[in-house]
Amino acid sequence: MLKAMSGKMCSSSSILQAQKLVDQLQIEACMERFKISLTAADLVRYCQGHRRSDPLITGISSSSNPFKDKKTCVLL
C-alpha cells in the first residue's frame, strides 16, 4: 500500500491528494486570462455606477434590515 516517491514513503491518500492538486492546476492553466488593467477598470466603473445602491456604502435602513431583531429580550 505504500509507494516510494522521491526517496520518501507516501501513502495512497497523499498520492490521491497530489493527483487532485495536479488536476486542479491543469484546469486553472487552461483558463482564459483577462488583462488585469482592463478588469480593474471595469470593476472601478461598476462600483462607481452602483455606489448609491450599495448597502455596504450607504447602509441599510432599520425598517428594511432583515437581520434586525424583531423583538427585544427582557429578563426580569
Side-chain angles (χ1 to χ4, degrees):
M1 181 177 260
L2 296 175
K3 296 183 180 182
M5 187 172 154
S6 302
K8 295 181 181 178
M9 299 300 281
C10 295
S11 68
S12 60
S13 65
S14 64
I15 292 171
L16 289 174
Q17 286 178 331
Q19 183 60 47
K20 286 181 182 182
L21 177 62
V22 168
D23 292 342
Q24 180 64 33
L25 291 173
Q26 287 175 341
I27 291 169
E28 292 177 15
C30 294
M31 291 178 67
E32 181 183 353
R33 305 290 183 206
F34 298 103
K35 290 186 178 181
I36 292 177
S37 60
L38 295 176
T39 306
D42 291 340
L43 181 59
V44 168
R45 274 195 298 277
Y46 177 84
C47 290
Q48 288 175 341
H50 293 86
R51 67 176 165 232
R52 292 178 193 221
S53 61
D54 188 340
L56 295 175
I57 296 173
T58 60
I60 300 173
S61 67
S62 55
S63 62
S64 65
N65 185 353
F67 300 105
K68 181 181 176 191
D69 290 334
K70 304 296 183 210
K71 302 183 232 177
T72 58
C73 180
V74 178
L75 298 174
L76 298 174

